Amino acid sequence: MSASRHQRRPIRILPPQVAARIAAGEVIERPASVVKELVENALDAGATRIRIDVRGAGLHEIRVSDDGCGIPPDELPLAVQRHATSKLPEDDLNRIETLGFRGEALPSIAAVAELTIASAASEGALGRRLVLRDGRVVGDEAVAHPPGTTVTVSRLFENVPARLASLRNERAEAVDIVRTVQRLALAAPHVRFSLYVDGRAALQTTGSGSFRTALLEIYGAAIVEALREIERFEVRDAEIVGLITIPDLTRADRNHLHVIVNGRWTQPRTLLARLEEAYRPYLPRGRHPIAVVVVRTPPQLVDVNVHPAKLEVRLRHERDIARALAERVQTVLARTPKTLSLQLRPRSEDPLLRAVSEPSAMYEPEPDAPIVTPAFPPLRLIGHGNDGLIVLEGPDGLYLVDQHRAHERILAERLLAQYRDRRDAPVLLPEPVIIDVRPAHVDRFQRWFSQLASLGFRCEPFGPRSFLLRAVPELPGLVGGTSLPDHLGEFGELAPALLDLAGEVDDANDADWLERFVIQLACRTAVRRRTVLARHAQRALVQALGETAAPAVCPHGSPIVLRLERQLLARQFRW
Ligand code: ADP
Ligand code: MG
């Protein structure tokens, strides 16, 4: 190796054009970044309408025009200079209320493309137009322009061949642009957006101001039935509302989780992770929901200056917000029975169909009163099918309840409530149950049982390798005074299940032993599917299920209740 091979050159400051091109690389990564920056400027200018035209995936031309406040002619040359902005009047980076603030977008675009900006600040005022090539002004004239601004960008990346080569195919870039505009439109539901890609309308919103309407405009009316609202709540100075889809409607990728913080579309990692976690038990592997979470919080609690393209923000108290949100999402999901319905859902407001679907008290003699619970609409018990299914009729279709899973859910919630609240004294068993333990397991069993005491299981040694189970928590349908008939489930399974579970738990201190224990004990002792239930037992089971917090889905994510939508039946029967 020869040292002379490396010849040191003097340090110098780069010419401004080169420096600008380097800086631009961070802000303007691809055509969609240009669209994003220009639309954000339009939004910051208070536009009520924004029109975007894109040709050749944005490489040929991107044009964004708005009816915002415009730029007075004497300030226009400043707008295209680096670090020139009207958005930090107090130079205070801690209270940013606009989407832009760095004064970098226009000069960055001008460094990697040809940029034309035309603007007028008020009705009747003369406008001005600048043309920039390679960052330099090459055209400057007075023009007539309606109030607002039009920016046209062409020959994008022509002077950065490496960037041009690294772009994916045109289709992918165009998809990126559409997605970008969708996000911006969702974050600004009060603004009318129109996006044209190669002359074809790709998105149109009405600017209604409602997030729900914006979602429908973006995803189509078919999602309306799957949408559920997360009612407004507050956590640590943040105000949150949300719209989420139930598992009837899913997507193959996670691009449809939208978090909007003070009007900015963003992806706070913790919040998204918690949201996905809340959905996990309800969604098949690889499927994702559609959701919008809108967070409003004082600007001091958000740091938007952490990502070159401002794609990330740092949200103070994000963990607390995420936890509270996840709880609410779970509550919504746990209460929603899975629906079997038509793939295509004609939103039928046909009064005839409605009339048919409303149970008519007049013509139907009602042998039993409907079962009324917080979780379901009033349900009329029809009967009991094979496979342990209880069949009921509701105003919106037929409900099928899996009796085993229903009982499982009731037991599991009861056990967890007992653990949490220690509300009820254990129930003494009329006769203690003897549990015989293998000699090698005696120690472990004893240790484990002292933990189980916190759940209400009372046990005492009985000879060298036996224990007596004397008292248990209230177990609806097994032991204890509840509305479910005793011995509905498999009481005889209680002792062997405890024994087996003790064998499975190596270290009873590990974090989720309790949950595993509860789930498995509930599964073993819940009524079997082949057990034929008396009518009053069916009723009691559905009643108790409807009073649980999560009646729709079992802990493994399988349905407890299925709803056969009336429209599905009508279509399938060709009524
Ligand atoms: P920033 O948005 O960070 O301020 P930009 O380079 O994007 O930086 O824009 C520079 C300035 O030009 C803005 O601060 C704003 O005053 C003005 N400007 C840019 N686009 C528009 C627009 N569409 N309408 C009104 N003013 C605009
Ligand atoms: Mg900007």
Side-chain angles (χ1 to χ4, degrees):
M1 270 204 283
S2 93
S4 63
R5 277 276 286 286
H6 183 265
Q7 202 204 340
R8 191 184 168 280
R9 298 201 177 101
I11 300 173
R12 66 181 184 122
I13 290 182
L14 292 172
Q17 269 97 336
V18 178
R21 226 177 280 164
I22 291 172
E26 302 229 295
V27 185
I28 306 299
E29 268 191 292
R30 48 178 19 102
S33 340
V34 175
V35 174
K36 172 172 180 288
E37 293 296 337
L38 296 180
V39 172
E40 287 190 347
N41 278 348
L43 290 170
D44 282 344
T48 63
R49 293 161 177 254
I50 301 176
R51 178 183 167 128
I52 305 132
D53 279 278
V54 177
R55 298 193 176 272
L59 294 169
H60 188 60
E61 186 177 280
I62 294 169
R63 169 175 301 172
V64 175
S65 44
D66 66 63
D67 64 351
C69 65
I71 308 169
D74 56 324
E75 285 185 35
L76 198 58
L78 264 183
V80 293
Q81 275 183 39
R82 186 158 298 277
H83 308 309
T85 179
S86 58
K87 300 173 193 173
L88 281 183
E90 317 273 299
D91 291 340
D92 186 356
L93 275 175
N94 298 318
R95 2 176 83 252
I96 290 169
E97 302 189 43
T98 47
L99 298 169
F101 56 89
R102 292 186 181 137
E104 281 193 318
L106 293 180
S108 295
I109 296 167
V112 293
E114 184 173 308
L115 181 140
T116 304
I117 180 165
S119 191
S122 58
E123 196 69 58
L126 199 59
R128 183 173 177 181
R129 179 169 65 199
L130 295 180
V131 183
L132 285 90
R133 212 169 281 150
D134 209 15
R136 266 184 288 239
V137 177
V138 297
D140 181 354
E141 58 187 334
V143 291
H145 192 280
T149 305
T150 302
V151 179
T152 310
V153 174
S154 55
R155 309 174 63 181
L156 181 62
F157 296 138
E158 266 187 27
N159 62 354
V160 200
R163 180 57 61 90
L164 205 53
S166 76
L167 292 183
R168 296 159 301 178
N169 58 46
E170 282 209 357
R171 210 190 110 68
E173 297 302 331
V175 167
D176 228 34
I177 291 175
V178 175
R179 189 165 286 157
T180 300
V181 177
Q182 285 177 340
R183 290 169 177 176
L184 289 158
L186 195 54
H190 53 284
V191 176
R192 273 179 87 111
F193 279 78
S194 346
L195 167 66
Y196 294 86
V197 177
D198 293 318
R200 276 191 305 270
L203 178 70
Q204 175 73 61
T205 67
T206 50
S208 67
S210 130
F211 285 100
R212 173 182 283 267
T213 306
L215 259 187
L216 301 193
E217 285 159 351
I218 290 165
Y219 287 104
I223 79 163
V224 74
E225 293 196 31
L227 273 185
R228 295 291 181 278
E229 199 159 325
I230 306 282
E231 272 177 48
R232 203 191 81 93
F233 63 99
E234 281 179 32
V235 187
R236 303 274 226 132
D237 276 344
E239 183 192 308
I240 297 113
V241 293
L243 284 165
I244 63 171
T245 54
I246 55 172
D248 286 358
L249 186 98
T250 59
R251 294 281 146 132
D253 57 86
R254 45 169 71 82
N255 285 320
H256 308 278
L257 299 174
H258 307 280
V259 181
I260 293 155
V261 178
N262 292 352
R264 186 189 302 276
W265 188 96
T266 176
Q267 299 175 294
R269 239 172 276 162
T270 307
L271 203 147
L272 288 180
R274 279 306 189 85
L275 183 61
E276 288 250 63
E277 241 169 69
Y279 267 97
R280 200 157 303 142
Y282 305 98
L283 293 181
R285 203 172 272 280
R287 301 302 298 183
H288 305 272
I290 300 174
V292 199
V293 177
V294 182
V295 181
R296 286 190 199 94
T297 181
Q300 310 86 277
L301 298 185
V302 190
D303 188 355
V304 292
N305 197 17
V306 292
H307 186 281
K310 295 167 291 176
L311 282 176
E312 275 176 33
V313 302
R314 208 157 285 154
L315 184 58
R316 248 256 239 110
H317 311 312
E318 183 178 338
R319 274 162 191 275
D320 296 340
I321 295 174
R323 189 176 322 119
L325 175 72
E327 267 170 27
R328 283 164 173 83
V329 170
Q330 240 152 7
T331 310
V332 169
L333 296 181
R335 287 184 162 269
T336 312
K338 185 164 174 50
T339 307
L340 297 187
S341 62
L342 301 167
Q343 282 301 307
L344 286 171
R345 301 170 188 210
R347 187 85 192 102
S348 167
E349 290 302 346
D350 184 349
L352 204 62
L353 205 77
R354 286 218 137 225
V356 171
S357 68
E358 234 95 291
S360 145
M362 259 210 293
Y363 300 111
E364 247 165 13
E366 193 83 290
D368 300 292
I371 303 167
V372 178
T373 57
F376 307 122
L379 296 176
R380 204 168 57 80
L381 179 63
I382 293 179
H384 196 238
N386 283 333
D387 304 320
L389 285 181
I390 301 168
V391 184
L392 304 112
E393 188 174 41
D396 49 357
L398 286 180
Y399 284 70
L400 307 178
V401 175
D402 180 321
Q403 68 183 35
H404 171 72
R405 287 195 190 139
H407 194 201
E408 209 175 35
R409 162 62 70 200
I410 296 162
L411 285 169
E413 276 198 15
R414 195 71 202 73
L415 282 165
L416 288 174
Q418 176 66 22
Y419 180 75
R420 246 189 347 256
D421 312 335
R422 315 263 159 95
R423 206 169 24 149
D424 301 312
V427 185
L428 273 183
L429 293 175
E431 270 181 57
V433 175
I434 299 175
I435 304 177
D436 292 317
V437 182
R438 272 201 274 149
H441 290 167
V442 170
D443 270 2
R444 183 163 66 190
F445 195 75
Q446 193 146 17
R447 253 183 299 137
W448 191 61
F449 247 100
S450 64
Q451 300 234 23
L452 280 188
S454 61
L455 275 161
F457 289 92
R458 295 286 149 79
C459 206
E460 58 194 45
F462 181 66
R465 48 180 218 85
S466 298
F467 292 81
L468 279 187
L469 183 62
R470 286 200 175 277
V472 298
E474 213 171 75
L475 296 168
L478 291 176
V479 185
T482 64
S483 58
L484 283 185
D486 266 7
H487 298 283
L488 174 82
E490 303 290 319
F491 180 78
E493 274 292 309
L494 194 56
L498 288 174
L499 194 58
D500 291 350
L501 291 172
E504 280 169 29
V505 178
D506 262 346
D507 177 6
N509 288 321
D510 88 76
D512 47 20
W513 73 272
L514 177 76
E515 207 186 319
R516 278 206 313 272
F517 167 77
V518 163
I519 290 175
Q520 294 194 28
L521 188 70
C523 178
R524 286 276 291 267
T525 54
V527 60
R528 305 249 162 92
R529 281 202 182 84
R530 59 170 188 273
T531 305
V532 179
L533 297 181
R535 215 171 153 81
H536 75 279
Q538 299 168 28
R539 281 186 71 91
L541 202 57
V542 175
Q543 183 80 44
L545 176 70
E547 282 158 12
T548 62
V553 183
C554 85
H556 309 292
S558 307
I560 299 172
V561 182
L562 287 180
R563 180 165 70 93
L564 296 178
E565 214 183 32
R566 191 163 293 268
Q567 274 175 299
L568 171 82
L569 299 176
R571 169 72 71 92
Q572 294 298 315
F573 281 113
R574 301 188 197 154
W575 285 332

